[in-house]
Amino acid sequence: MSFQKCLLNSTYLNIVSLPLPFIYPISAIFPISSAQNPPLYQTLVFHHQLYILEREALFEGRKKSENKAKMGSLEPETHISFNGSCNVTGKNLSTDSVINLDETKGKMGSFEPETRISNGRCNGTGMKLSTDSVINFDRGDPTMYESFWQEMGQRSTIVISGSQSMSYFSDVRNICWFMEPELAQEIKKLHQLVGNAETKDRHIIVGTGSSQLIQAALYALSPSDASEPMNVVSAVPYYSSYPPLTDYLRSKLYRWAGDAYTFNEDAPYIEFVTSPNNPDGSIRKAVVNKSGGKMVHDLAYYWPQYTPISSAADHDLMLFAVSKCTGHAGTRIGWALVKDVEVAKKMIKFIELNTIGVSKDSQLRAAKIIHTVCDGYEGGDTGGVERFFEYGHRLMTERWERLREALRESTLFSLPEFQLDFCNFTGEIRTTLPAFAWLKCEGDIEDLEMFLKSNKILTRSGKHCGADPKYVRVSMVDRDEIFNLFVKRLSVCH
Ligand SMILES: Cc1ncc(COP(=O)(O)O)c(C=O)c1O
C-alpha cells in the first residue's frame, strides 16, 4: 500500500466517529506540510474539507432531527468507510476500519393514471388495440425504438448476477462516486461519435433520468444564503414539467418565474434552454441574456434522428438522457456535462441526498445500450440491421411525412415548419424532425386538448407549456400501430 493510501486509511478512518466540536485542524491530523509533498497535501486538504462539510451537515441534521427519522443525507461514514469503498479501490480491511451497517430509506410518488389506461396491449396490459381505443400521446413515451432493439437481440443484452452491483459505490476516485466507469466511458464515446457535445474538461454526472438532474441543477445553481429564491424561467412554449419540477417542494432556494421572454426583474435567474425544444421542436438560444443569469441547456433531443448536428454544444451545464436518445425511458438514466467543479459537487450532493446515487443495474444497462449504438458505427456486427441513428431518422422522416400529408388539406390544423441545416454527423443537409408535433387549431375550437380528447386522442395542452390552449403537443415516438391509428383518426377529425 502506498504511503498516501496508508496515511488516508489509518489517520482519516479513525476520526470519523468524532463529534463535530472535536474536528481537528488539518495540521493536527496529517503530519505533513504543503512543502514536503504538494499533491498529497492538496489531496488531504480536499478530503479534510469534504469531511468537515459533511460532519457539519450531519451535526446540523442530528440537531434538527427530533424523531430520529433519516432525511436522506448519505452519512460521511458511509462515504469514506472501508466497507463502502473496498470493492472499487481494493483497499485492505484493517482492525480499526469503520464498519458501517447503517441504512437510509426513501420512497417516491406516483405516475399519471391516464398513461396507464390506453395504448392497450402496448403498455403491457395484454389488451388489444382496436379502432376506437384511446390513443395516449400525452407523454413522449419513446416506444418507437422497441423494434430496433428487438432486432438487436443478444447484442444489446446484459446479464447481472445476484452478487453484482451490490455496493452503493461505483468509483470513489471520481467526484461522482456513484457513476459506473463503463457508463462514463460510453457516454464520452457516444458524444465523440455524434459530435453533439464537448466532453473534454467536463464532469459527467449520472442521474435517475434527466428529471433528477434538472432538480439537481436547480439546487446547485441557487445560492443557499440568498434572501429571495432564485427565479427560474424558460421561453414559451416550454417543457411542461419545468414549472412543477421547480415548485412542487415549495423550495426557498428557487421558484418558477415563467416565460423567459417577459422576465424583466433585476434579480438572479436560471434559464432552461431546451434545444431542440419540447414541445415545438425549435432550435433555441438563451433569451434573457442579463447579468446574474445561469443557463441549463437541456439537450435531450439533440441527437441525429431529431435534428441536424450543427456543432458540438459547449455550454456550462448540459443535460442528456437515454430516454430520448436510445428510447430507454424505463432505464431512467440521464447525464449532465458540467464545467464548474463546484456546481458539479453540489449536483452530486443533491443526488446523494435524494437517492444516494443512481441504480448501478440501470447504469450498466445504459452502458451496454450505448455501446451497442457506437459499435454499429465502429465496424461491429449489426446482423444486417440498419445503424441506430439511421433507423431513428428514417422512422421520424416517414412519420413526419405521413402526418403532414394527412393534414395537407386541413383548414382546422397546422404544424410548424423547420429550416434545413447541415448535419456534421451525416454530412447531409437535413431538417428537424421533432419528437413532438406542436399542433395548432386554426379553426374556432378554443381548447384543442378537449376536442381531441372527445375523439379519444389524449394530448398535452399548450396551456401547460405557457402557451395558448389552441395548441397541443403530440408524441411522435410511440409504436407504429398507434401512430398509424392516430394519423387515420386525426385526418377525419373536423
Ligand atoms: C426536454 C426534456 N427534458 C427532460 C426530460 C426528462 O427526461 P428523463 O426521462 O430522462 O427524465 C424530458 C422528458 O420528456 C424532456 O422532454
Side-chain angles (χ1 to χ4, degrees):
M1 186 186 293
S2 70
F3 171 66
Q4 279 99 324
K5 273 189 185 167
C6 184
L7 193 61
L8 273 171
N9 268 3
S10 61
T11 317
Y12 200 52
L13 296 182
N14 279 333
I15 61 167
V16 293
S17 56
L18 290 173
L20 189 71
F22 296 105
I23 287 178
Y24 299 131
I26 187 143
S27 57
I29 301 169
F30 302 119
I32 180 169
S33 75
S34 59
Q36 279 172 294
N37 187 337
L40 174 58
Y41 186 78
Q42 284 304 321
T43 308
L44 295 175
V45 169
F46 171 74
H47 280 275
H48 185 62
Q49 284 168 345
L50 193 71
Y51 164 72
I52 289 174
L53 281 175
E54 288 181 341
R55 289 304 304 174
E56 279 171 0
L58 184 66
F59 191 66
E60 274 301 304
R62 280 191 180 147
K63 270 200 307 189
K64 286 179 189 159
S65 161
E66 279 172 6
N67 59 5
K68 292 211 168 29
K70 293 241 164 60
M71 292 300 288
S73 172
L74 180 57
E75 299 190 11
E77 288 91 336
T78 315
H79 206 331
I80 58 176
S81 73
F82 170 81
N83 53 343
S85 59
C86 65
N87 292 346
V88 197
T89 63
K91 279 180 189 167
N92 288 330
L93 184 66
S94 70
T95 49
D96 62 353
S97 291
V98 172
I99 296 170
N100 191 320
L101 297 175
D102 202 355
E103 63 175 292
T104 309
K105 290 182 181 144
K107 200 169 171 223
M108 266 295 280
S110 64
F111 198 58
E112 289 172 32
E114 293 92 318
T115 314
R116 281 184 264 134
I117 58 169
S118 67
N119 296 4
R121 132 189 120 64
C122 309
N123 283 356
T125 61
M127 285 156 53
K128 280 249 185 289
L129 194 67
S130 71
T131 47
D132 68 347
S133 289
V134 173
I135 297 169
N136 190 336
F137 278 3
D138 172 29
R139 278 186 181 258
D141 199 12
T143 42
M144 170 185 103
Y145 299 100
E146 251 172 23
S147 45
F148 175 87
W149 293 108
Q150 275 159 3
E151 299 238 26
M152 277 292 121
Q154 285 301 312
R155 278 181 290 272
S156 60
T157 301
I158 56 163
V159 176
I160 301 176
S161 73
S163 62
Q164 213 181 323
S165 306
M166 291 179 67
S167 165
Y168 283 113
F169 296 87
S170 292
D171 182 0
V172 290
R173 291 157 301 187
N174 184 351
I175 58 165
C176 190
W177 53 268
F178 46 80
M179 173 138 212
E180 287 291 305
E182 291 100 306
L183 179 59
Q185 197 184 322
E186 294 300 336
I187 286 171
K188 280 189 211 157
K189 221 164 69 178
L190 181 65
H191 284 304
Q192 217 152 25
L193 170 76
V194 173
N196 61 344
E198 286 294 344
T199 54
K200 198 164 172 281
D201 300 326
R202 299 304 205 274
H203 300 280
I204 306 181
I205 303 169
V206 64
T208 302
S210 59
S211 302
Q212 188 180 40
L213 291 162
I214 287 171
Q215 297 168 73
L218 291 177
Y219 173 76
L221 296 176
S222 305
S224 52
D225 54 357
S227 54
E228 288 291 314
M230 188 87 153
N231 295 294
V232 180
V233 298
S234 190
V236 165
Y238 43 70
Y239 172 39
S240 56
S241 291
Y242 290 147
L245 280 175
T246 306
D247 278 346
Y248 80 116
L249 289 178
R250 298 175 191 222
S251 168
K252 287 182 183 161
L253 297 177
Y254 45 79
R255 66 170 165 228
W256 180 248
D259 185 7
Y261 286 120
T262 56
F263 178 73
N264 56 10
E265 280 185 43
D266 240 350
Y269 65 94
I270 297 169
E271 180 176 351
F272 283 113
V273 183
T274 315
S275 187
N277 190 38
N278 171 357
D280 67 354
S282 59
I283 303 302
R284 293 190 146 183
K285 287 190 162 50
V287 305
V288 181
N289 297 317
K290 285 188 182 183
S291 66
K294 294 176 181 174
M295 257 61 71
V296 177
H297 281 82
D298 187 339
L299 305 182
Y301 302 95
Y302 193 38
W303 297 103
Q305 66 269 47
Y306 304 121
T307 192
I309 303 301
S310 53
S311 64
D314 188 18
H315 308 289
D316 289 351
L317 200 168
M318 303 183 275
L319 302 180
F320 294 91
V322 288
S323 57
K324 310 303 170 180
C325 174
T326 68
H328 291 81
T331 305
R332 307 304 306 127
I333 291 292
W335 64 94
L337 303 178
V338 184
K339 258 187 202 166
D340 186 308
V341 67
E342 295 308 321
V343 173
K345 277 192 213 162
K346 274 189 85 178
M347 288 180 73
I348 291 161
K349 188 74 199 170
F350 177 90
I351 295 168
E352 198 177 299
L353 293 165
N354 196 229
T355 43
I356 323 182
V358 174
S359 162
K360 282 185 171 190
D361 300 355
S362 284
Q363 291 190 59
L364 294 175
R365 181 160 187 233
K368 178 70 178 184
I369 293 295
I370 296 173
H371 177 82
T372 311
V373 170
C374 294
D375 203 37
Y377 291 89
E378 289 163 352
D381 169 31
T382 59
V385 182
E386 224 174 347
R387 293 180 296 186
F388 179 75
F389 292 117
E390 275 89 83
Y391 172 90
H393 186 261
R394 181 174 56 76
L395 248 62
M396 294 305 293
T397 306
E398 286 167 11
R399 288 181 175 203
W400 272 95
E401 278 173 7
R402 291 196 38 225
L403 182 60
R404 287 195 191 279
E405 182 56 29
L407 301 184
R408 202 158 51 88
E409 305 290 322
S410 173
T411 50
L412 189 58
F413 301 118
S414 70
L415 290 166
E417 296 293 334
F418 301 101
Q419 287 187 341
L420 295 171
D421 202 351
F422 185 77
C423 177
N424 292 326
F425 176 64
T426 59
E428 293 169 359
I429 306 266
R430 284 183 162 189
T431 187
T432 297
L433 301 161
F436 296 101
W438 186 232
L439 194 63
K440 185 183 179 194
C441 178
E442 300 288 353
D444 294 336
I445 298 156
E446 289 305 319
D447 190 333
L448 184 52
E449 181 194 22
M450 290 314 289
F451 172 75
L452 291 173
K453 197 169 182 176
S454 68
N455 286 280
K456 295 192 174 176
I457 302 171
L458 306 184
T459 58
R460 189 159 302 183
S461 170
K463 66 184 182 218
H464 301 298
C465 311
D468 201 289
K470 271 182 165 296
Y471 288 90
V472 293
R473 189 196 76 168
V474 180
S475 170
M476 293 291 284
V477 289
D478 215 299
R479 294 179 180 89
D480 267 342
E481 53 191 333
I482 302 167
F483 183 77
N484 294 343
L485 185 59
F486 163 69
V487 172
K488 210 163 153 186
R489 202 176 288 172
L490 193 66
S491 60
V492 295
C493 276
H494 306 287

